């Protein structure tokens, strides 16, 4: 396999029309990039990125917990190093970790990581617009700046996104939880604890050693001339609600200041590139920066300062797996673990603890699904239902009949599920979520304009509009073709008095399309296709959501992973691994280099058919009685 890995990997199978070097500037401006990709290639590869803490802990706990209690009693492990930690872990688990890291190194050696940058540089493209990158949830490291006794051992060490985190999880779990969870009442720092986002390129290049996140993009940007003076990573503490990002960290104030400085110093407008939750952060920022309730930049601030917004795998309407994470501390990653792994995970970090952690990170709840039943369907219908499907995706939380279970009495839609979530969780949780976020639909222009003065609506593109920036260009780049959880089967706990959870995934139910209580739909493995694709293909073509007529370009990328590549290779479309995809990197470079107008729409999924069925209508349709 080593020999195979070290061959030069071919670029994406696409046709790119570019001008010859001797062509005039006028001719170059009219050249277009046409992306033509093949259908999905069959592969037995199954590699799941750790989306949230439960999945990460599952990998660690699968073989470790059988001896964890004894290990924790030994004082000599107080100065445990990474090497000694690996010494005490089961050999199989250590091998898996080493294989992952070594696999990453092999892939790095297998082909030139700078090849995309070298290709476009040979065409004459170079650094043009300053670029600001806004990362997604989970991928930014969090480090301790507290000086109280409980924090001193971790001063300036990462308690999220490092081997220090792994060590703390194993040997100092309660203290780690105390650091990672925000105060329940305020949503800010708990007493004696001060955790902050890491800054600079180091904040997001790698999650842990060997697991890259933004590093491929950094390499290719550097190849065409970018450096820290013309590029910037706007890392943030993803645990915080969006209002608290400004209250505690002045995040949006600092982002506004950096963009304004970049415009003055470089003389060109800025390109924003965001990934996943970072796209929600950018959309919220657009409202904050222009509002008198926020940055007071005025309605023309975005038009003056922002050239383009590259929206990568944006969960613009949330992700359904976010509901299950905060409802019961579960998702597909935990539900489909084998029995030994589930046992280890529950002994180490139970469902109750995981749900408690997720709820105490209000930023994660920003990704609860938006649009309600109009977008996600009802008990009998959903826009993405498939022909011959015997049960609608709109029936989101399902309960098997005849199993002597009494609560809830019926299956639940998305609207019902959010209501059930808020009714079955603590007051502090649903008070914080409802105060910070809104999940509805504004059906008229008047509602949309009124919502510009309500910060709780700023996260929701179905309740607010794009900025009044006619020259702004939006690029929606996202993956398709990877099964993504869409609905679930749930059941009450066996011993309700022994747990604080009202329900849990029915992991014992596997039948037809139901696998361990999880039903899969379309998306990129994390974000559902309706979320990543609806606004780009339909919503932002409605006048009330896009009154300035901002141009929106959509490029979907089919998931075509390489069989022996642990991260899928240069044609993956996985939610996180797509950041290393050659096609995506090339398009980012073209936009940054001022050649974004050479990129054309490329839609391979059925998103436009699904979007047409969504029960959100433009003003003309509503006037005709379509609603």
């Amino acid at each position: 396999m080593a020999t195979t890995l070290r061959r030069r990997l071919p670029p994406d199978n696409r046709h790119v029309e570019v001008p010859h070097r001797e062509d005039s500037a006028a001719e170059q401006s009219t050249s277009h990039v046409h992306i033509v990709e093949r259908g999905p290639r069959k592969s037995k590869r199954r590699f799941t990125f750790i989306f949230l803490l439960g999945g990460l802990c599952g990998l660690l706990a699968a073989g470790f917990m059988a001896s964890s209690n004894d290990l924790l009693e030994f004082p000599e492990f107080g100065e445990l190093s990474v090497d000694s930690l690996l010494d005490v872990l089961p050999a199989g688990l250590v091998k898996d970790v080493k294989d992952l890291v070594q696999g990453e190194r092999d892939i790095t050696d297998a082909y030139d990581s700078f090849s995309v940058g070298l290709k476009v540089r040979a065409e004459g493209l170079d650094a043009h617009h300053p670029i600001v990158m806004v990362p997604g949830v989970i991928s930014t490291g969090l480090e301790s700046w507290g000086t109280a006794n409980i924090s001193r051992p971790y001063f300036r060490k990462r308690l999220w996104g490092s081997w220090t985190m792994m060590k703390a999880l194993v040997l100092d779990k309660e203290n780690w939880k105390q650091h990672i969870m925000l105060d329940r009442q305020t949503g800010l720092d708990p007493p004696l604890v001060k955790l902050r986002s890491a800054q600079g390129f180091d904040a997001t290049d790698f999650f842990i050693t060997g697991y890259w996140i933004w590093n491929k993009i950094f390499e290719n940007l550097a190849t065409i001339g970018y450096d820290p003076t013309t590029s910037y990573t706007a890392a943030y503490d993803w645990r915080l609600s969006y209002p608290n990002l400004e209250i505690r960290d002045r995040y949006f104030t600092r982002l506004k200041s950096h963009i304004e400085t970049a415009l003055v110093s470089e003389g060109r407008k800025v390109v924003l590139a965001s990934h996943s939750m970072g796209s929600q952060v950018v959309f919220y920022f657009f409202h904050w920066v222009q509002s008198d309730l926020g940055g007071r930049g005025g309605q023309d601030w975005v038009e003056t300062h922002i050239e383009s917004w590259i929206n990568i795998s944006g969960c613009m309407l949330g992700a359904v797996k976010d509901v299950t994470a905060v409802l019961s501390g579960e998702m597909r990653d935990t539900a489909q673990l084998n029995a030994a792994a589930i046992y280890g995970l529950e002994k180490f970090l139970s469902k109750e603890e995981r749900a408690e952690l997720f709820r105490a990170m209000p930023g994660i709840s920003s990704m609860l699904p938006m649009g309600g039943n109009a977008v996600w369907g009802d008990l009998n219908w959903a826009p993405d239902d498939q022909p011959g499907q015997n049960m609608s995706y709109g029936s989101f939380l399902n309960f098997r009949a005849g199993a002597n279970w009494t609560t809830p009495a019926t299956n639940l839609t998305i609207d019902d599920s959010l209501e059930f979530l808020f009714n079955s969780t603590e007051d502090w949780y649903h008070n914080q979520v409802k105060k910070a976020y809104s999940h509805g639909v504004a059906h008229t222009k008047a509602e949309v304009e009124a919502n510009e003065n309500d910060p709780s609506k700023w996260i929701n593109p179905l309740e607010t509009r794009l900025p009044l920036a006619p020259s702004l260009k939006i690029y929606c780049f996202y993956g398709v073709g990877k099964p993504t959880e869409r609905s679930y089967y749930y059941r009450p706990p066996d011993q309700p008095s022994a747990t604080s959870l009202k329900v849990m995934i029915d992991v014992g139910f596997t039948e037809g399309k139901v696998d361990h209580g999880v039903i899969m739909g379309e998306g990129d493995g994390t974000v559902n296709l309706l979320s990543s694709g609806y606004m780009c293909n339909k919503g932002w073509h409605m006048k009330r959501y896009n009154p300035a007529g901002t141009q929106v370009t959509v490029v979907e990328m089919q998931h075509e992973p390489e069989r022996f590549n642990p991260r899928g290779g240069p044609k993956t479309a996985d939610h996180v691994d797509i950041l290393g995809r050659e096609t995506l990197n090339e398009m980012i470079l073209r936009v940054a280099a001022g050649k974004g107008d050479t990129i054309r729409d490329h839609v391979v999924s059925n998103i436009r058919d699904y979007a047409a069925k969504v029960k959100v209508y433009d003003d003309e349709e509503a006037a005709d009685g379509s609603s």
Side-chain angles (χ1 to χ4, degrees):
M1 186 175 73
T3 303
T4 303
L5 286 171
R6 282 184 166 79
R7 61 183 170 82
R8 184 178 181 84
L9 297 180
D12 286 359
N13 183 24
R14 63 194 188 284
H15 174 58
V16 180
E17 290 185 9
V18 296
H20 296 293
R21 296 181 61 89
E22 64 270 22
D23 289 349
S24 67
E27 290 172 323
Q28 291 186 24
S29 66
T30 61
S31 299
H32 302 307
V33 176
H34 300 279
I35 302 171
V36 180
E37 300 184 284
R38 298 171 304 191
R41 178 177 54 191
K42 294 183 178 180
S43 173
K44 297 181 180 179
R45 172 188 174 271
R46 185 174 180 176
F47 181 88
T48 303
F49 175 69
I50 305 159
F51 173 56
L52 291 171
L53 182 61
L56 176 63
C57 295
L59 289 175
L60 177 66
F64 179 78
M65 284 305 106
S67 59
S68 64
N69 292 336
D70 292 337
L71 184 149
L72 292 175
E73 294 174 358
F74 294 151
E76 58 266 29
F77 286 105
E79 296 298 320
L80 186 66
S81 66
V82 172
D83 290 338
S84 57
L85 174 61
L86 293 177
D87 288 340
V88 300
L89 287 171
L93 183 62
V94 173
K95 182 178 185 299
D96 288 344
V97 174
K98 288 183 176 179
D99 285 348
L100 173 62
V101 174
Q102 185 57 47
E104 288 295 288
R105 291 170 179 165
D106 288 344
I107 296 304
T108 299
D109 293 340
Y111 65 96
D112 186 354
S113 297
F114 305 91
S115 60
V116 174
L118 292 170
K119 174 181 179 295
V120 301
R121 192 177 72 182
E123 298 172 13
L125 276 64
D126 57 12
H128 189 73
H129 294 286
I131 185 168
V132 174
M133 291 159 282
V134 183
V137 66
I138 300 300
S139 59
T140 300
L142 303 175
E143 58 190 26
S144 176
W145 281 82
T147 57
N149 288 338
I150 61 172
S151 299
R152 287 175 187 169
Y154 300 112
F155 183 71
R156 293 203 63 205
K157 294 180 180 178
R158 292 193 186 182
L159 289 176
W160 184 268
S162 71
W163 287 107
T164 299
M165 173 187 72
M166 305 295 286
K167 172 185 172 182
L169 270 169
V170 174
L171 300 181
D172 198 11
K173 185 180 76 172
E174 292 305 317
N175 193 15
W176 179 83
K177 286 174 56 181
Q178 186 174 349
H179 279 76
I180 207 73
M181 294 170 62
L182 295 168
D183 185 89
R184 294 177 175 180
Q185 301 304 320
T186 67
L188 301 170
D189 293 326
L192 305 179
V193 170
K194 191 175 185 180
L195 210 62
R196 294 293 182 269
S197 167
Q199 296 298 306
F201 299 101
D202 288 344
T204 60
D205 54 354
F206 291 88
F207 181 70
I208 57 175
T209 303
Y211 198 103
W212 52 262
I213 304 292
W214 282 78
N215 192 59
K216 304 290 185 184
I217 294 174
F218 295 162
E219 290 173 340
N220 285 302
L221 284 171
T223 305
I224 65 169
Y226 282 94
D227 58 39
T229 64
T230 50
S231 59
Y232 173 69
T233 299
Y236 57 96
D237 187 340
W238 42 266
R239 301 172 303 153
L240 292 168
S241 69
Y242 295 1
N244 282 342
L245 277 173
E246 178 63 19
I247 290 171
R248 195 197 74 177
D249 294 348
R250 300 291 186 267
Y251 174 78
F252 297 112
T253 295
R254 292 187 292 110
L255 179 56
K256 175 176 180 279
S257 177
H258 182 89
I259 292 171
E260 290 172 340
T261 301
L263 175 64
V264 172
S265 61
E266 299 299 322
R268 299 187 183 99
K269 292 197 284 187
V270 171
V271 168
L272 288 174
S274 59
H275 175 247
S276 187
M277 176 179 167
S279 294
Q280 288 185 318
V281 172
V282 168
F283 189 74
Y284 184 95
F285 171 72
F286 284 159
H287 294 90
W288 177 92
V289 74
Q290 65 188 11
S291 174
D292 289 341
L293 301 175
R296 300 177 180 272
Q299 293 296 311
D300 62 347
W301 190 93
V302 174
E303 173 71 11
T304 301
H305 294 83
I306 307 299
E307 169 69 20
S308 303
W309 171 28
I310 304 173
N311 169 17
I312 307 166
S313 304
C315 49
M316 301 313 302
L317 299 182
V320 301
K321 69 190 301 180
D322 203 51
V323 177
T324 62
V326 294
L327 178 63
S328 61
E330 301 173 285
M331 60 201 70
R332 180 195 183 197
D333 299 330
T334 58
Q336 295 182 359
L337 291 172
N338 61 41
I342 291 175
Y343 174 81
L345 178 57
E346 288 301 310
K347 296 289 287 184
F348 178 61
L349 203 64
S350 67
K351 295 182 184 72
E352 293 91 338
E353 289 180 296
R354 300 197 303 269
E356 180 187 28
L357 282 169
F358 297 144
R359 293 172 193 173
M361 302 173 179
I364 287 178
S365 291
S366 70
M367 293 179 289
L368 291 173
M370 287 172 272
N373 294 0
V375 172
W376 301 97
D378 56 34
L379 294 179
N380 301 306
W381 163 90
D384 52 339
D385 283 344
Q386 301 300 304
Q389 192 169 313
N390 59 9
M391 188 176 207
S392 174
Y393 286 136
S395 186
F396 178 59
L397 296 185
N398 304 286
F399 300 85
R400 282 192 284 168
N404 197 31
W405 295 330
T406 58
T407 55
T410 62
N411 295 339
L412 306 178
T413 65
I414 283 288
D415 279 340
D416 298 332
S417 298
L418 291 181
E419 182 179 0
F420 178 71
L421 170 66
F422 295 142
N423 289 337
S424 59
T425 52
E426 303 87 342
D427 289 345
W428 61 265
Y429 169 72
H430 60 74
N431 287 341
Q432 283 202 28
V433 173
K434 290 181 178 180
K435 181 180 178 181
Y437 314 122
S438 180
H439 303 93
V441 177
H443 291 283
T444 66
K445 178 181 177 182
E447 290 180 82
V448 169
E449 292 302 323
N451 288 341
E452 291 301 308
N453 296 315
D454 184 350
S456 70
K457 310 287 189 182
W458 290 351
I459 188 179
N460 188 345
L462 288 172
E463 293 188 290
T464 55
R465 57 170 168 77
L466 288 170
L468 301 178
S471 67
L472 173 69
K473 292 171 281 293
I474 298 176
Y475 299 90
C476 296
F477 301 150
Y478 58 89
V480 297
K482 186 171 185 181
T484 305
E485 47 205 277
R486 181 64 172 84
S487 56
Y488 305 84
Y489 272 84
Y490 261 74
R491 66 178 182 87
D494 293 326
Q495 297 178 312
S497 61
T499 178
S500 61
L501 300 178
K502 305 298 183 184
V503 290
M504 57 185 62
I505 292 179
D506 188 1
V507 296
F509 184 35
T510 297
E511 181 179 291
K513 292 188 176 181
V514 185
D515 185 1
H516 292 79
V518 182
I519 302 171
M520 307 302 286
E522 297 177 70
D524 64 8
T526 295
V527 174
N528 310 92
L529 178 59
L530 281 172
S531 178
S532 58
Y534 175 77
M535 294 308 300
C536 300
N537 289 278
K538 177 69 182 292
W540 285 328
H541 293 273
M542 296 186 191
K543 186 71 173 179
R544 70 173 179 269
Y545 297 134
N546 185 4
T550 297
Q551 174 187 320
V552 181
T553 301
V554 181
V555 176
E556 294 184 339
M557 287 161 276
Q558 185 72 43
H559 185 52
E560 299 181 79
E562 290 193 337
R563 184 184 299 268
F564 299 113
N565 192 316
R567 299 290 296 277
K571 300 185 73 174
T572 180
D574 173 84
H575 182 67
V576 173
D577 297 342
I578 197 172
L579 293 173
R581 184 182 177 112
E582 289 185 346
T583 304
L584 176 68
N585 273 253
E586 180 175 339
M587 290 188 296
I588 291 172
L589 297 189
R590 290 186 180 278
V591 174
K595 297 297 182 181
D597 59 349
T598 64
I599 300 172
R600 288 290 179 261
D601 287 340
H602 181 70
V603 177
V604 298
S605 74
N606 293 322
I607 183 58
R608 290 174 177 168
D609 293 335
Y610 303 154
K613 298 175 185 177
V614 168
K615 296 180 179 180
V616 177
Y617 309 104
D618 63 26
D619 293 343
E620 288 77 13
E621 289 176 315
D624 292 339
S626 300
S627 59

